[in-house]
């Protein structure tokens, strides 16, 4: 419990920092501090990301004076160091103005919470290191800031993702999926056993599930069930929403391989449909924490979710591995 508490506390502290302090390079700095717990941390800047072809992530951040950052954290705790890792990916938009598709000013100060996914992955990495879990785990943070600067990307732009797929930008405020999709391609190089992305992705998820339940979408039923079970055990509730081909049609574009929004209907599902186009090579699940990452009002601030769920998921995986090893012996 203490290890989970420490992970939750780290997440809450990072998310609650003001956005003039918690910039993408600052997120990377905090990630580097985890090296004292035995986590290997590597940071890629915009030059390296450009070489990799991450046109989508870089497009979102190009209106900001703060450099976008990709942070790769590795924990090699398994006895078999070559065992395929579990991978977590966190959306780290340090402040989201909506870009050229500017958000209403009322409540915009809460958009400092848009890096809640990255902070949740950071907190989970700290928890697993404190628990010294015998697993191989990779955490990747996609850090950028979505600003309406003179160099900002625009509605109507067509951007090329790392996967080679092109995206017609219809709304620059649907930036989270553009940030994540390049990292979902990048993570392939680690040949992960499974990938879970965590993001404050859609306002539609708040409409669907309110502020108490995280949205879970997955193309792999056993993984979805594992996460739901962990969410129940940790009292960090999640609810599964569907992904079907019917919704995929909503993100078709006449000018590119896909569009970055799919209209008003089923917004959380179409966002996950978008992400699913980049996850064909591994088992994948998506956690939409837009309604659960923070609370508003008098007691406003970060909740530290979904660190309890993800840490419980890793504890369950550890237990399962131990049972398998005992059976093999």
């Amino acid at each position: 419990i203490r290890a989970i508490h420490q992970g939750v506390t780290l997440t809450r502290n990072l998310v609650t920092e003001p956005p003039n302090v918690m910039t993408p390079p600052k997120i990377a700095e905090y990630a580097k501090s985890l090296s004292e717990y035995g986590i290997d941390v590597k940071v890629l800047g915009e030059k390296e990301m450009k070489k990799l072809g991450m046109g989508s992530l870089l497009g979102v951040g190009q209106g900001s004076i703060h450099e976008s950052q990709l942070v790769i954290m590795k924990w090699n705790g398994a006895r078999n160091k070559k065992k395929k890792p579990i991978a977590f990916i966190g959306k780290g938009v340090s402040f989201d103005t909506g870009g050229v598709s500017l958000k209403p000013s009322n409540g915009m100060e809460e958009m400092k919470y848009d890096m809640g996914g990255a902070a949740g992955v950071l907190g989970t990495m700290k928890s697993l290191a404190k628990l010294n879990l015998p697993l191989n785990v990779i955490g990747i943070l996609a850090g950028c800031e979505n600003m309406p600067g003179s160099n900002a990307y625009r509605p109507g732009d067509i951007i090329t993702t790392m996967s080679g797929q092109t995206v017609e930008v219809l709304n620059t405020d649907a930036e989270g999926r553009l940030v994540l999709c390049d990292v979902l391609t990048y993570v392939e190089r680690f040949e992960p056993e499974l990938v879970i992305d965590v993001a404050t992705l859609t306002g539609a998820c708040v409409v669907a599930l309110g502020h108490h339940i995280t949205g879970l979408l997955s193309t792999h039923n056993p993984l979805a069930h594992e996460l739901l079970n962990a969410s129940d055990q940790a009292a960090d509730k999640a609810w599964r929403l569907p992904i079907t081909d019917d919704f995929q049609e909503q993100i078709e574009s006449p000018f590119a391989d896909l569009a970055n929004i799919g209209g008003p209907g089923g917004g959380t599902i179409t966002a996950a449909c978008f992400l699913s186009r980049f996850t064909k090579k591994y088992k994948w699940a998506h956690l939409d924490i837009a309604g659960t990452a923070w609370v508003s009002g008098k007691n406003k601030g970060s909740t530290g979710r979904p660190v309890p769920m993800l840490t419980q998921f890793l504890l369950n995986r550890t237990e399962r591995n131990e049972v398998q090893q005992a059976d093999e012996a």
Side-chain angles (χ1 to χ4, degrees), residues 35 73 81 85 165 216 278 296 309 311:
S35 59
M73 303 173 287
K81 301 303 178 189
Q165 295 177 84
L216 164 63
F278 302 84
S296 305
M309 184 203 311
T311 308

Side-chain angles (χ1 to χ4, degrees), residues 43-214:
V43 179
L44 303 184
E46 291 182 352
K47 271 187 183 175
E48 293 97 330
M49 284 189 270
K50 192 171 183 180
K51 281 182 187 172
L52 289 165
M54 291 186 163
S56 190
L57 197 165
L58 290 172
V60 174
Q62 70 189 34
S64 172
I65 60 167
H66 298 296
E67 185 176 3
S68 298
Q69 308 271 275
L70 190 73
V71 182
I72 302 102
M73 303 173 287
K74 292 183 185 178
W75 171 260
N76 260 28
R79 266 184 285 177
N80 177 5
K81 301 303 178 189
K82 293 185 178 178
K83 185 174 171 62
K84 290 186 174 185
I86 292 166
F88 296 126
I89 293 172
K91 172 189 171 186
V93 177
S94 61
F95 193 78
D96 180 20
T97 63
V100 173
S101 307
L102 196 66
K103 290 179 181 288
S105 58
N106 186 31
M108 197 198 282
E109 77 282 353
E110 292 191 341
M111 287 301 97
K112 69 176 186 176
Y113 299 133
D114 212 21
M115 43 75 72
V121 170
L122 259 169
T124 303
M125 294 299 289
K126 181 172 183 179
S127 291
L128 84 92
K130 297 293 283 186
L131 289 163
N132 198 25
L133 294 182
L135 299 167
N136 292 340
V137 182
I138 290 173
I140 306 180
L141 315 179
C144 64
E145 186 179 42
N146 188 19
M147 297 291 281
S150 60
N151 195 39
Y153 77 133
R154 296 149 293 236
D157 283 2
I158 291 180
I159 54 181
T160 304
T161 66
M162 185 180 175
S163 71
Q165 295 177 84
T166 55
V167 180
E168 182 187 8
V169 178
L170 299 181
N171 187 326
T172 64
D173 193 26
E175 87 297 332
R177 64 206 73 182
L178 298 175
V179 169
L180 290 170
C181 70
D182 277 344
V183 192
L184 289 167
T185 301
Y186 178 79
V187 77
E188 289 174 7
R189 67 191 50 213
F190 301 110
E191 297 182 358
E193 181 182 356
L194 61 95
V195 177
I196 300 167
D197 77 71
V198 188
T200 49
L201 206 66
T202 64
C205 196
V206 186
V207 175
L209 298 174
H211 293 284
H212 306 292
I213 301 176
T214 291

Side-chain angles (χ1 to χ4, degrees), residues 28 31 36-37 44 47 68 82 89 110 120 169 204 217 233 237 245-246 248 255 297:
E36 67 176 285
Y37 302 108
L44 303 184
K47 271 187 183 175
S68 298
K82 293 185 178 178
I89 293 172
E110 292 191 341
V169 178
L217 300 100
Q233 290 173 288
K237 291 287 187 180
D245 289 341
D246 304 333
Q248 291 281 4
F255 302 124

Side-chain angles (χ1 to χ4, degrees), residues 258 280 300:
L258 64 168
K280 306 295 187 189
K300 64 184 178 181

Side-chain angles (χ1 to χ4, degrees), residues 204 247 250 262-270:
F247 289 95
Q250 289 177 227
T268 301
I269 298 169
T270 54

